[in-house]
Amino acid sequence: PLEGSIPAEIGHCENLVTIEMEQNKLESPLPSEIGLLTNLRYVNFRQAKLVGTIPTELGNMRALSKRIFSSMSNLADQFC
């Protein structure tokens, strides 16, 4: 499993379509720069141990059709 944090530079990966980070040890906040990934269609952070809040920029991503944040304590509650 991956450990550490997701770097803000992820926002430079403009052609990224899928982020699959299920069951990793990424104990950090989700960077707001993820909102720059306008081609992103699918994200899965199920059981990834992320902390903090889900960036509002994620809601502006029009291509994003599937978001999975289940089993993530405080993050999953933000979509309910």
Side-chain angles (χ1 to χ4, degrees), residues 5-75:
S5 63
I6 299 170
E9 290 79 13
I10 195 168
H12 297 294
C13 300
E14 299 165 354
N15 294 317
L16 196 61
V17 176
T18 300
I19 297 178
E20 179 72 57
M21 296 202 182
E22 183 175 354
Q23 297 181 341
N24 281 292
K25 297 179 181 179
L26 299 168
E27 298 179 4
S28 70
L30 191 58
S32 61
E33 289 81 2
I34 199 167
L36 298 172
L37 303 176
T38 57
N39 292 315
L40 195 63
R41 295 174 190 249
Y42 175 86
V43 295
N44 181 357
F45 290 106
R46 186 174 157 265
Q47 298 179 345
K49 298 186 180 181
L50 292 172
V51 297
T53 60
I54 295 172
T56 57
E57 292 84 358
L58 197 67
N60 297 329
M61 300 169 67
R62 302 289 181 228
L64 192 60
S65 61
K66 180 101 176 178
R67 300 174 275 234
I68 301 174
F69 290 93
S70 62
S71 301
M72 293 184 57
S73 62
N74 63 331
L75 286 180

